[in-house]
Amino acid sequence: MVRFQRRANIKMGKVAEAVGWAQEIADHLHGSEIAGTVHVFHEVLDEVGAIYWHADYDNVAEVEEARRRLLRDEKYQGLIADSGQFLVEGTLEDTLLAPV
């Protein structure tokens, strides 16, 4: 198993909107079966706050396949195009985690 994590800082004053937008992305991914079950988390102890998406996969090949499918998914691309309204530019980070 591997866990894909995407993190980005939320713009000041946009927390509620960012959380709703992030959940909309997760719902789309789950409904389209592109990325399996995606969980959304919100960092609450930071001044700015951050949003996280987590998705678990059996292996790295599944992560790569999901990424390829996302590049072709018009709905996802449209949702991502809205990110500038909610997220601080240049703060997006992707991490791939493996259990110990």
Side-chain angles (χ1 to χ4, degrees):
M1 183 200 76
V2 294
R3 174 168 289 167
F4 176 81
Q5 173 183 280
R6 176 163 283 171
R7 177 199 181 281
N9 288 349
I10 300 170
K11 287 183 175 180
M12 288 287 205
K14 295 291 186 176
V15 172
E17 295 95 330
V19 168
W21 169 79
Q23 189 60 56
E24 185 178 358
I25 290 173
D27 292 345
H28 169 67
L29 295 177
H30 179 68
S32 64
E33 299 181 6
I34 289 174
T37 301
V38 177
H39 298 279
V40 179
F41 296 87
H42 169 233
E43 190 172 310
V44 294
L45 296 177
D46 187 18
E47 183 178 317
V48 175
I51 201 85
Y52 294 79
W53 293 268
H54 285 186
D56 293 335
Y57 298 90
D58 289 332
N59 53 56
V60 175
E62 284 187 6
V63 176
E64 293 171 350
E65 177 59 26
R67 289 174 60 116
R68 281 192 290 277
R69 293 166 94 190
L70 289 172
L71 290 173
R72 296 186 307 263
D73 186 271
E74 291 181 24
K75 168 90 173 172
Y76 176 77
Q77 293 301 321
L79 289 166
I80 292 303
D82 294 337
S83 67
Q85 298 176 51
F86 314 110
L87 305 180
V88 177
E89 187 176 338
T91 63
L92 188 73
E93 297 176 5
D94 289 345
T95 307
L96 195 57
L97 306 166
V100 291

Coordinates of all heavy atoms in Angstrom, one line a residue:
M1 N 0.8 -1.2 0.0 CA 0.0 0.0 0.0 C 0.9 1.2 0.0 O 1.9 1.3 0.6 CB -0.9 0.0 1.2 CG -1.8 1.2 1.2 SD -2.5 1.7 2.8 CE -1.2 2.6 3.5
V2 N 0.4 2.3 -0.7 CA 1.1 3.6 -0.7 C 0.0 4.6 -0.5 O -1.2 4.4 -0.9 CB 1.9 3.9 -2.0 CG1 3.1 3.0 -2.0 CG2 1.1 3.8 -3.2
R3 N 0.3 5.8 0.1 CA -0.7 6.8 0.3 C -0.1 8.1 -0.5 O 1.0 8.5 -0.3 CB -0.8 7.2 1.7 CG -1.7 8.4 2.0 CD -2.1 8.6 3.4 NE -3.1 7.5 3.6 CZ -3.5 7.1 4.9 NH1 -3.0 7.7 5.9 NH2 -4.3 6.1 5.0
F4 N -1.0 8.6 -1.4 CA -0.7 9.8 -2.1 C -1.3 11.0 -1.2 O -2.5 10.9 -0.8 CB -1.3 9.8 -3.5 CG -1.2 11.1 -4.2 CD1 0.0 11.4 -4.8 CD2 -2.2 12.0 -4.2 CE1 0.2 12.6 -5.5 CE2 -2.0 13.2 -4.9 CZ -0.8 13.5 -5.5
Q5 N -0.5 12.0 -1.0 CA -1.0 13.2 -0.3 C -0.7 14.4 -1.1 O 0.4 14.6 -1.6 CB -0.2 13.3 1.1 CG -0.5 14.6 1.8 CD 0.2 14.7 3.1 OE1 -0.1 14.1 4.1 NE2 1.3 15.5 3.0
R6 N -1.7 15.3 -1.3 CA -1.5 16.6 -1.9 C -1.9 17.6 -0.9 O -2.9 17.5 -0.2 CB -2.4 16.7 -3.1 CG -2.4 18.1 -3.8 CD -2.9 18.1 -5.2 NE -1.9 17.5 -6.0 CZ -2.1 17.1 -7.3 NH1 -3.2 17.3 -7.8 NH2 -1.1 16.6 -8.0
R7 N -1.0 18.6 -0.7 CA -1.2 19.7 0.3 C -1.0 21.0 -0.4 O -0.2 21.2 -1.3 CB -0.2 19.5 1.4 CG -0.2 20.6 2.4 CD 1.1 20.7 3.2 NE 1.1 21.7 4.2 CZ 1.2 23.0 4.0 NH1 1.4 23.4 2.8 NH2 1.1 23.8 5.0
A8 N -1.8 22.0 0.1 CA -1.7 23.4 -0.4 C -2.2 24.3 0.7 O -3.1 24.0 1.4 CB -2.5 23.6 -1.7
N9 N -1.6 25.5 0.8 CA -2.0 26.5 1.7 C -3.3 27.2 1.2 O -3.4 27.5 0.0 CB -1.0 27.6 1.9 CG 0.2 27.1 2.7 OD1 0.1 26.0 3.3 ND2 1.3 27.8 2.7
I10 N -4.2 27.5 2.1 CA -5.4 28.2 1.8 C -5.2 29.7 1.9 O -4.6 30.2 2.9 CB -6.5 27.8 2.8 CG1 -6.8 26.2 2.6 CG2 -7.8 28.5 2.5 CD1 -7.7 25.7 3.7
K11 N -5.8 30.5 1.0 CA -5.8 31.9 1.1 C -6.5 32.4 2.3 O -7.5 31.8 2.7 CB -6.4 32.6 -0.1 CG -5.5 32.5 -1.4 CD -6.2 33.2 -2.5 CE -5.3 33.2 -3.7 NZ -6.0 33.9 -4.9
M12 N -6.0 33.5 2.9 CA -6.7 34.1 4.1 C -8.1 34.4 3.8 O -8.4 35.0 2.7 CB -6.0 35.4 4.5 CG -4.7 35.1 5.2 SD -5.0 34.4 6.8 CE -3.5 34.9 7.6
G13 N -9.0 34.1 4.6 CA -10.4 34.4 4.5 C -11.2 33.5 3.5 O -12.4 33.7 3.2
K14 N -10.5 32.4 3.1 CA -11.1 31.5 2.1 C -11.3 30.1 2.6 O -11.5 29.1 1.8 CB -10.3 31.5 0.8 CG -10.3 32.8 0.0 CD -11.6 33.1 -0.5 CE -11.6 34.3 -1.4 NZ -12.9 34.6 -2.0
V15 N -11.2 29.9 3.9 CA -11.2 28.5 4.4 C -12.5 27.8 4.1 O -12.4 26.7 3.6 CB -10.9 28.5 6.0 CG1 -11.1 27.1 6.6 CG2 -9.5 29.0 6.2
A16 N -13.6 28.4 4.4 CA -14.9 27.7 4.2 C -15.0 27.3 2.7 O -15.4 26.2 2.4 CB -16.0 28.5 4.7
E17 N -14.7 28.3 1.8 CA -14.9 28.0 0.4 C -13.9 27.0 -0.1 O -14.2 26.1 -0.9 CB -14.7 29.3 -0.4 CG -15.7 30.4 -0.2 CD -15.3 31.4 0.9 OE1 -14.5 31.0 1.8 OE2 -15.7 32.5 0.8
A18 N -12.6 27.0 0.5 CA -11.6 26.0 0.1 C -12.0 24.6 0.5 O -11.8 23.7 -0.3 CB -10.3 26.4 0.6
V19 N -12.5 24.5 1.7 CA -12.9 23.2 2.2 C -14.0 22.6 1.3 O -14.0 21.4 0.9 CB -13.3 23.2 3.6 CG1 -14.0 22.0 4.1 CG2 -12.1 23.5 4.5
G20 N -15.0 23.4 0.9 CA -16.1 23.0 0.1 C -15.6 22.6 -1.3 O -16.0 21.6 -1.9
W21 N -14.7 23.4 -1.9 CA -14.1 23.1 -3.2 C -13.3 21.8 -3.1 O -13.4 21.0 -4.0 CB -13.2 24.3 -3.6 CG -12.4 24.1 -4.8 CD1 -12.7 24.1 -6.1 CD2 -11.0 23.8 -4.7 NE1 -11.6 23.9 -6.9 CE2 -10.5 23.7 -6.1 CE3 -10.0 23.7 -3.7 CZ2 -9.2 23.5 -6.4 CZ3 -8.7 23.5 -4.1 CH2 -8.3 23.3 -5.4
A22 N -12.5 21.7 -2.1 CA -11.7 20.4 -1.9 C -12.5 19.2 -1.9 O -12.2 18.2 -2.4 CB -10.8 20.6 -0.7
Q23 N -13.7 19.3 -1.1 CA -14.6 18.1 -1.0 C -15.2 17.9 -2.3 O -15.5 16.7 -2.7 CB -15.6 18.4 0.1 CG -16.4 17.2 0.4 CD -15.6 16.0 0.9 OE1 -14.8 16.1 1.8 NE2 -15.7 14.8 0.2
E24 N -15.5 18.9 -3.1 CA -16.1 18.7 -4.4 C -15.2 17.9 -5.3 O -15.6 17.0 -6.1 CB -16.4 20.1 -5.1 CG -17.2 19.9 -6.4 CD -17.5 21.3 -7.0 OE1 -17.2 22.3 -6.4 OE2 -18.1 21.3 -8.1
I25 N -13.9 18.2 -5.3 CA -12.9 17.4 -6.0 C -12.9 16.0 -5.6 O -12.9 15.1 -6.4 CB -11.5 18.1 -5.9 CG1 -11.4 19.4 -6.6 CG2 -10.4 17.1 -6.4 CD1 -10.2 20.2 -6.4
A26 N -12.8 15.8 -4.2 CA -12.8 14.4 -3.7 C -14.0 13.6 -4.1 O -14.0 12.5 -4.5 CB -12.7 14.5 -2.2
D27 N -15.2 14.3 -4.1 CA -16.4 13.6 -4.5 C -16.4 13.2 -5.9 O -16.9 12.1 -6.3 CB -17.7 14.5 -4.2 CG -17.9 14.7 -2.7 OD1 -17.4 13.9 -1.9 OD2 -18.7 15.7 -2.4
H28 N -15.9 14.1 -6.8 CA -15.8 13.8 -8.2 C -14.9 12.6 -8.4 O -15.2 11.7 -9.2 CB -15.3 15.0 -9.0 CG -15.0 14.7 -10.4 ND1 -15.9 14.3 -11.3 CD2 -13.8 14.6 -11.0 CE1 -15.3 14.0 -12.5 NE2 -14.0 14.2 -12.3
L29 N -13.7 12.6 -7.8 CA -12.8 11.5 -8.0 C -13.4 10.2 -7.5 O -13.2 9.2 -8.2 CB -11.5 11.8 -7.2 CG -10.7 13.0 -7.8 CD1 -9.5 13.3 -6.9 CD2 -10.4 12.9 -9.2
H30 N -14.1 10.2 -6.4 CA -14.7 9.0 -5.9 C -15.8 8.5 -6.8 O -15.9 7.4 -7.2 CB -15.2 9.2 -4.5 CG -15.8 8.0 -3.9 ND1 -15.1 6.9 -3.6 CD2 -17.1 7.7 -3.6 CE1 -16.0 5.9 -3.2 NE2 -17.2 6.4 -3.2
G31 N -16.6 9.5 -7.3 CA -17.8 9.1 -8.1 C -17.3 8.6 -9.5 O -18.0 7.8 -10.1
S32 N -16.2 9.1 -10.0 CA -15.7 8.7 -11.3 C -14.8 7.5 -11.2 O -14.4 7.0 -12.3 CB -15.0 9.9 -12.0 OG -13.8 10.2 -11.2
E33 N -14.5 7.1 -10.0 CA -13.6 6.0 -9.8 C -12.2 6.2 -10.4 O -11.5 5.2 -10.7 CB -14.2 4.7 -10.3 CG -15.5 4.3 -9.6 CD -16.1 3.0 -10.0 OE1 -15.5 2.3 -10.8 OE2 -17.2 2.7 -9.5
I34 N -11.8 7.4 -10.6 CA -10.5 7.7 -11.1 C -9.4 7.5 -10.1 O -8.4 6.9 -10.3 CB -10.4 9.2 -11.6 CG1 -11.2 9.4 -12.9 CG2 -9.0 9.6 -11.8 CD1 -11.3 10.8 -13.4
A35 N -9.7 7.9 -8.8 CA -8.7 7.8 -7.8 C -9.2 7.1 -6.6 O -8.6 7.2 -5.5 CB -8.2 9.2 -7.4
G36 N -10.2 6.3 -6.7 CA -10.7 5.6 -5.5 C -11.3 6.5 -4.5 O -11.8 7.6 -4.8
T37 N -11.2 6.2 -3.2 CA -11.7 7.0 -2.1 C -10.6 8.1 -1.8 O -9.5 7.7 -1.4 CB -12.0 6.2 -0.9 OG1 -13.0 5.2 -1.3 CG2 -12.6 7.1 0.2
V38 N -11.0 9.3 -1.9 CA -10.1 10.4 -1.5 C -10.7 11.1 -0.3 O -11.9 11.4 -0.2 CB -10.0 11.4 -2.7 CG1 -9.2 12.6 -2.3 CG2 -9.5 10.7 -3.9
H39 N -9.8 11.3 0.7 CA -10.2 11.9 1.9 C -9.6 13.3 2.0 O -8.5 13.6 1.5 CB -9.7 11.2 3.2 CG -10.3 9.8 3.2 ND1 -11.6 9.5 3.7 CD2 -9.8 8.6 2.9 CE1 -11.8 8.2 3.7 NE2 -10.7 7.6 3.1
V40 N -10.4 14.3 2.5 CA -10.0 15.7 2.6 C -9.8 16.0 4.0 O -10.6 15.7 4.9 CB -11.1 16.6 2.0 CG1 -10.6 18.1 2.1 CG2 -11.3 16.3 0.5
F41 N -8.7 16.7 4.3 CA -8.3 17.1 5.7 C -8.0 18.6 5.6 O -7.5 19.1 4.6 CB -7.1 16.4 6.2 CG -7.4 14.9 6.4 CD1 -7.1 14.0 5.4 CD2 -7.8 14.4 7.6 CE1 -7.4 12.7 5.5 CE2 -8.0 13.1 7.8 CZ -7.8 12.2 6.7
H42 N -8.3 19.3 6.7 CA -8.0 20.7 6.8 C -7.1 20.9 8.0 O -7.4 20.5 9.1 CB -9.3 21.5 7.0 CG -9.1 22.9 7.4 ND1 -9.8 23.5 8.5 CD2 -8.4 23.9 6.8 CE1 -9.4 24.7 8.6 NE2 -8.6 25.0 7.6
E43 N -6.0 21.6 7.9 CA -5.0 21.9 8.9 C -5.6 23.0 9.8 O -6.0 24.1 9.3 CB -3.7 22.3 8.3 CG -2.6 22.4 9.3 CD -1.3 22.6 8.6 OE1 -0.9 21.9 7.7 OE2 -0.6 23.5 9.1
V44 N -5.8 22.8 11.1 CA -6.5 23.7 11.9 C -5.6 24.4 12.9 O -6.0 25.4 13.5 CB -7.6 23.0 12.7 CG1 -8.7 22.6 11.7 CG2 -7.2 21.9 13.5
L45 N -4.4 24.0 13.1 CA -3.5 24.6 14.1 C -2.5 25.6 13.5 O -1.7 26.2 14.2 CB -2.7 23.6 14.9 CG -3.6 22.6 15.7 CD1 -2.8 21.6 16.4 CD2 -4.4 23.4 16.7
D46 N -2.6 25.9 12.3 CA -1.7 26.9 11.6 C -2.5 28.2 11.4 O -3.7 28.2 11.2 CB -1.3 26.2 10.2 CG -0.2 27.1 9.5 OD1 0.4 27.9 10.2 OD2 -0.1 26.8 8.3
E47 N -1.8 29.3 11.3 CA -2.4 30.6 11.1 C -3.1 30.7 9.8 O -4.2 31.2 9.7 CB -1.3 31.7 11.2 CG -1.9 33.1 11.1 CD -0.8 34.1 11.3 OE1 0.0 34.0 12.1 OE2 -0.8 35.1 10.5
V48 N -2.5 30.2 8.8 CA -3.1 30.2 7.4 C -4.0 29.1 7.2 O -5.1 29.2 6.7 CB -2.0 30.3 6.3 CG1 -2.6 30.2 5.0 CG2 -1.1 31.5 6.5
G49 N -3.5 27.9 7.5 CA -4.3 26.7 7.3 C -3.9 26.1 5.9 O -3.4 26.7 5.1
A50 N -4.1 24.8 5.8 CA -3.8 24.1 4.6 C -4.9 23.0 4.4 O -5.6 22.6 5.3 CB -2.4 23.4 4.7
I51 N -5.0 22.6 3.1 CA -5.9 21.6 2.8 C -5.1 20.4 2.3 O -4.1 20.6 1.7 CB -6.9 22.1 1.7 CG1 -8.2 21.3 1.7 CG2 -6.3 22.2 0.3 CD1 -9.2 21.7 2.6
Y52 N -5.6 19.2 2.6 CA -4.9 18.0 2.2 C -5.9 17.0 1.6 O -7.0 16.9 2.0 CB -4.4 17.2 3.5 CG -3.3 17.9 4.2 CD1 -3.6 19.0 5.1 CD2 -1.9 17.6 4.1 CE1 -2.6 19.6 5.8 CE2 -0.9 18.2 4.8 CZ -1.3 19.2 5.6 OH -0.3 19.9 6.3
W53 N -5.4 16.3 0.5 CA -6.2 15.2 0.0 C -5.3 14.0 0.2 O -4.1 14.0 -0.1 CB -6.4 15.4 -1.5 CG -7.3 16.5 -1.9 CD1 -8.6 16.4 -2.1 CD2 -6.9 17.9 -2.2 NE1 -9.1 17.7 -2.5 CE2 -8.1 18.6 -2.5 CE3 -5.7 18.6 -2.1 CZ2 -8.1 19.9 -2.9 CZ3 -5.7 19.9 -2.4 CH2 -6.9 20.6 -2.8
H54 N -5.9 12.9 0.7 CA -5.2 11.6 0.8 C -6.0 10.5 0.0 O -7.2 10.5 0.1 CB -5.2 11.2 2.3 CG -4.3 11.9 3.1 ND1 -4.0 11.6 4.4 CD2 -3.5 13.0 2.9 CE1 -3.2 12.4 5.0 NE2 -2.8 13.3 4.1
A55 N -5.2 9.7 -0.7 CA -5.8 8.6 -1.4 C -4.8 7.4 -1.2 O -3.6 7.6 -1.4 CB -6.0 8.9 -2.8
D56 N -5.4 6.2 -0.9 CA -4.6 5.0 -0.8 C -4.7 4.2 -2.0 O -5.7 4.1 -2.6 CB -5.0 4.2 0.4 CG -4.8 4.9 1.7 OD1 -3.9 5.8 1.8 OD2 -5.5 4.6 2.7
Y57 N -3.5 3.6 -2.4 CA -3.4 2.7 -3.6 C -2.6 1.5 -3.2 O -1.9 1.5 -2.2 CB -2.6 3.5 -4.7 CG -3.3 4.7 -5.2 CD1 -3.1 5.9 -4.6 CD2 -4.2 4.7 -6.2 CE1 -3.7 7.1 -5.0 CE2 -4.9 5.8 -6.7 CZ -4.6 7.0 -6.1 OH -5.2 8.1 -6.5
D58 N -2.8 0.4 -4.0 CA -2.1 -0.8 -3.7 C -0.6 -0.7 -4.0 O 0.2 -1.3 -3.4 CB -2.7 -2.0 -4.5 CG -4.0 -2.4 -4.0 OD1 -4.3 -2.2 -2.8 OD2 -4.8 -2.9 -4.8
N59 N -0.3 0.2 -5.0 CA 1.1 0.3 -5.4 C 1.3 1.6 -6.2 O 0.4 2.3 -6.6 CB 1.6 -0.9 -6.3 CG 0.6 -1.2 -7.4 OD1 0.4 -0.3 -8.3 ND2 0.1 -2.4 -7.5
V60 N 2.6 1.9 -6.5 CA 2.9 3.1 -7.2 C 2.4 3.1 -8.6 O 2.0 4.2 -9.1 CB 4.5 3.3 -7.2 CG1 4.9 4.5 -8.1 CG2 5.0 3.4 -5.8
A61 N 2.3 2.0 -9.3 CA 1.7 1.9 -10.6 C 0.3 2.4 -10.7 O -0.1 3.1 -11.6 CB 1.8 0.5 -11.2
E62 N -0.5 2.1 -9.6 CA -1.9 2.6 -9.5 C -1.9 4.2 -9.4 O -2.8 4.8 -10.0 CB -2.6 2.0 -8.4 CG -3.0 0.6 -8.6 CD -3.9 0.0 -7.5 OE1 -4.3 0.8 -6.6 OE2 -4.2 -1.1 -7.6
V63 N -1.0 4.7 -8.7 CA -0.9 6.2 -8.5 C -0.6 6.8 -9.9 O -1.2 7.8 -10.3 CB 0.2 6.6 -7.5 CG1 0.4 8.1 -7.5 CG2 -0.1 6.0 -6.1
E64 N 0.4 6.2 -10.6 CA 0.7 6.8 -11.9 C -0.5 6.7 -12.9 O -0.7 7.6 -13.7 CB 1.9 6.0 -12.5 CG 3.2 6.3 -11.7 CD 4.4 5.4 -12.1 OE1 4.2 4.4 -12.8 OE2 5.5 5.7 -11.6
E65 N -1.2 5.6 -12.8 CA -2.4 5.4 -13.7 C -3.5 6.5 -13.3 O -4.1 7.1 -14.2 CB -3.0 4.0 -13.6 CG -4.2 3.8 -14.4 CD -4.1 4.1 -15.9 OE1 -2.9 4.0 -16.5 OE2 -5.1 4.4 -16.5
A66 N -3.7 6.7 -12.1 CA -4.7 7.7 -11.6 C -4.2 9.1 -12.1 O -5.1 9.9 -12.6 CB -4.8 7.7 -10.1
R67 N -3.0 9.4 -12.0 CA -2.5 10.7 -12.5 C -2.7 10.9 -14.0 O -3.1 11.9 -14.5 CB -1.0 10.9 -12.1 CG -0.9 11.1 -10.6 CD 0.6 11.1 -10.2 NE 1.3 12.2 -10.9 CZ 1.9 13.2 -10.3 NH1 1.8 13.3 -9.0 NH2 2.5 14.1 -10.9
R68 N -2.5 9.8 -14.8 CA -2.7 9.9 -16.2 C -4.2 10.1 -16.5 O -4.5 10.9 -17.4 CB -2.2 8.6 -16.9 CG -0.7 8.5 -17.1 CD -0.3 7.4 -18.1 NE -0.5 6.1 -17.4 CZ 0.4 5.5 -16.6 NH1 1.5 6.1 -16.3 NH2 0.1 4.3 -16.1
R69 N -5.0 9.4 -15.8 CA -6.5 9.6 -16.0 C -6.9 11.0 -15.6 O -7.8 11.5 -16.3 CB -7.2 8.5 -15.2 CG -7.0 7.1 -15.7 CD -7.4 6.1 -14.7 NE -8.7 5.6 -15.0 CZ -9.5 4.8 -14.2 NH1 -9.0 4.5 -13.1 NH2 -10.7 4.5 -14.6
L70 N -6.4 11.6 -14.6 CA -6.7 12.9 -14.2 C -6.4 13.9 -15.2 O -7.1 14.9 -15.4 CB -6.1 13.3 -12.9 CG -6.6 12.6 -11.6 CD1 -5.7 12.9 -10.4 CD2 -8.0 12.9 -11.4
L71 N -5.3 13.7 -15.9 CA -4.9 14.7 -17.0 C -5.9 14.7 -18.1 O -6.0 15.7 -18.8 CB -3.5 14.3 -17.5 CG -2.3 14.5 -16.6 CD1 -1.1 14.0 -17.2 CD2 -2.2 16.0 -16.3
R72 N -6.7 13.6 -18.3 CA -7.7 13.5 -19.4 C -9.1 13.8 -18.9 O -10.0 13.9 -19.7 CB -7.6 12.1 -20.0 CG -6.3 11.8 -20.7 CD -6.4 10.4 -21.4 NE -6.8 9.3 -20.6 CZ -6.0 8.4 -19.9 NH1 -4.7 8.5 -20.0 NH2 -6.6 7.5 -19.2
D73 N -9.2 14.0 -17.6 CA -10.6 14.3 -17.1 C -11.0 15.7 -17.1 O -10.4 16.5 -16.4 CB -10.6 13.7 -15.6 CG -12.0 13.8 -15.1 OD1 -12.4 14.8 -14.5 OD2 -12.8 12.8 -15.2
E74 N -11.9 16.1 -18.0 CA -12.3 17.5 -18.1 C -12.9 18.1 -16.9 O -12.6 19.3 -16.6 CB -13.2 17.6 -19.3 CG -12.6 17.4 -20.7 CD -13.5 17.5 -21.8 OE1 -14.5 18.2 -21.7 OE2 -13.2 16.9 -22.9
K75 N -13.7 17.4 -16.2 CA -14.3 17.9 -15.0 C -13.3 18.3 -13.9 O -13.3 19.3 -13.3 CB -15.4 16.9 -14.4 CG -15.9 17.2 -13.0 CD -17.1 18.1 -13.0 CE -17.6 18.2 -11.6 NZ -18.6 19.1 -11.4
Y76 N -12.3 17.3 -13.7 CA -11.3 17.6 -12.8 C -10.4 18.8 -13.2 O -10.1 19.6 -12.4 CB -10.4 16.3 -12.7 CG -9.2 16.5 -11.8 CD1 -9.3 16.5 -10.4 CD2 -7.9 16.7 -12.3 CE1 -8.2 16.6 -9.6 CE2 -6.8 16.9 -11.5 CZ -7.0 16.8 -10.1 OH -5.9 17.0 -9.3
Q77 N -10.1 18.9 -14.5 CA -9.3 20.0 -14.9 C -10.0 21.3 -14.7 O -9.4 22.3 -14.4 CB -8.9 19.8 -16.4 CG -8.0 18.6 -16.7 CD -6.7 18.7 -15.9 OE1 -6.1 19.8 -15.8 NE2 -6.2 17.6 -15.4
G78 N -11.3 21.3 -14.9 CA -12.1 22.5 -14.6 C -12.1 22.9 -13.1 O -12.0 24.1 -12.8
L79 N -12.2 21.9 -12.3 CA -12.1 22.2 -10.8 C -10.8 22.7 -10.4 O -10.7 23.6 -9.6 CB -12.5 20.9 -10.0 CG -13.9 20.5 -10.1 CD1 -14.1 19.0 -9.6 CD2 -14.8 21.4 -9.3
I80 N -9.7 22.1 -11.0 CA -8.4 22.6 -10.7 C -8.1 24.0 -11.2 O -7.4 24.8 -10.5 CB -7.3 21.6 -11.3 CG1 -7.4 20.3 -10.6 CG2 -5.9 22.2 -11.2 CD1 -7.2 20.3 -9.1
A81 N -8.8 24.4 -12.3 CA -8.6 25.7 -12.8 C -9.1 26.8 -11.8 O -8.7 27.9 -11.8 CB -9.3 25.8 -14.1
D82 N -10.0 26.4 -10.9 CA -10.6 27.3 -9.9 C -9.7 27.4 -8.7 O -10.0 28.2 -7.8 CB -12.0 26.8 -9.5 CG -13.0 26.8 -10.5 OD1 -12.9 27.6 -11.5 OD2 -14.0 26.1 -10.4
S83 N -8.6 26.7 -8.7 CA -7.8 26.7 -7.4 C -7.2 28.1 -7.0 O -7.0 28.3 -5.9 CB -6.6 25.7 -7.6 OG -5.7 26.2 -8.6
G84 N -7.0 28.9 -8.0 CA -6.5 30.3 -7.7 C -7.4 31.1 -6.8 O -6.9 32.0 -6.2
Q85 N -8.7 30.8 -6.8 CA -9.6 31.5 -5.9 C -9.4 31.1 -4.5 O -9.7 31.9 -3.6 CB -11.0 31.1 -6.3 CG -11.5 31.4 -7.7 CD -12.9 30.9 -8.0 OE1 -13.8 31.2 -7.2 NE2 -13.0 30.2 -9.1
F86 N -8.8 29.9 -4.2 CA -8.8 29.4 -2.8 C -7.4 29.1 -2.3 O -7.2 29.2 -1.1 CB -9.6 28.1 -2.7 CG -10.9 28.2 -3.4 CD1 -11.2 27.5 -4.6 CD2 -11.9 28.9 -2.9 CE1 -12.4 27.5 -5.2 CE2 -13.2 29.0 -3.5 CZ -13.4 28.3 -4.6
L87 N -6.5 28.8 -3.1 CA -5.1 28.4 -2.7 C -4.1 29.4 -3.0 O -4.1 30.1 -4.0 CB -4.8 27.1 -3.4 CG -5.8 25.9 -3.3 CD1 -5.2 24.7 -4.0 CD2 -6.0 25.6 -1.8
V88 N -3.0 29.4 -2.1 CA -1.9 30.3 -2.3 C -1.0 29.7 -3.4 O -0.6 28.6 -3.3 CB -1.1 30.5 -1.0 CG1 0.1 31.3 -1.2 CG2 -2.0 31.0 0.1
E89 N -0.8 30.5 -4.4 CA 0.1 30.1 -5.5 C 1.4 29.6 -5.1 O 2.1 30.2 -4.2 CB 0.2 31.2 -6.5 CG 0.9 30.8 -7.8 CD 1.0 31.9 -8.8 OE1 0.2 32.9 -8.8 OE2 1.9 31.8 -9.7
G90 N 1.9 28.5 -5.6 CA 3.2 28.0 -5.3 C 3.3 27.1 -4.1 O 4.4 26.8 -3.7
T91 N 2.2 26.8 -3.4 CA 2.3 26.0 -2.2 C 1.8 24.6 -2.4 O 1.9 23.8 -1.4 CB 1.4 26.7 -1.1 OG1 0.0 26.7 -1.5 CG2 1.8 28.1 -0.8
L92 N 1.5 24.2 -3.5 CA 1.1 22.8 -3.8 C 2.2 21.8 -3.6 O 3.3 22.1 -4.2 CB 0.5 22.7 -5.2 CG -0.2 21.4 -5.5 CD1 -1.6 21.3 -4.8 CD2 -0.4 21.3 -7.0
E93 N 2.0 20.8 -2.8 CA 3.1 19.8 -2.6 C 2.4 18.4 -2.7 O 1.4 18.1 -2.1 CB 3.7 19.9 -1.2 CG 4.4 21.2 -0.9 CD 4.9 21.3 0.5 OE1 4.8 20.3 1.3 OE2 5.4 22.3 0.9
D94 N 3.1 17.5 -3.5 CA 2.6 16.1 -3.6 C 3.6 15.3 -2.9 O 4.9 15.5 -3.0 CB 2.5 15.7 -5.0 CG 1.4 16.3 -5.8 OD1 0.5 16.9 -5.1 OD2 1.3 16.2 -7.0
T95 N 3.1 14.3 -2.1 CA 4.0 13.4 -1.4 C 3.4 12.0 -1.5 O 2.2 11.8 -1.5 CB 4.0 13.7 0.1 OG1 4.4 15.1 0.3 CG2 5.0 12.8 0.9
L96 N 4.3 11.0 -1.7 CA 3.9 9.6 -1.7 C 4.5 8.9 -0.5 O 5.8 8.9 -0.3 CB 4.4 9.0 -3.0 CG 3.8 7.6 -3.4 CD1 2.3 7.7 -3.5 CD2 4.4 7.1 -4.7
L97 N 3.7 8.3 0.3 CA 4.1 7.7 1.6 C 3.9 6.2 1.5 O 3.0 5.7 0.9 CB 3.2 8.3 2.7 CG 3.1 9.8 2.9 CD1 2.0 10.2 3.8 CD2 4.5 10.3 3.4
A98 N 4.9 5.5 2.2 CA 4.8 4.1 2.3 C 4.8 3.7 3.7 O 5.4 4.3 4.5 CB 6.0 3.4 1.6
P99 N 4.1 2.7 4.1 CA 4.0 2.3 5.5 C 5.4 1.7 5.9 O 6.1 1.2 5.1 CB 2.9 1.2 5.6 CG 2.8 0.7 4.2 CD 3.2 1.8 3.2
V100 N 5.6 1.7 7.2 CA 6.9 1.1 7.7 C 6.6 -0.2 8.4 O 5.5 -0.5 8.7 CB 7.6 2.1 8.7 CG1 8.1 3.3 8.0 CG2 6.6 2.5 9.8

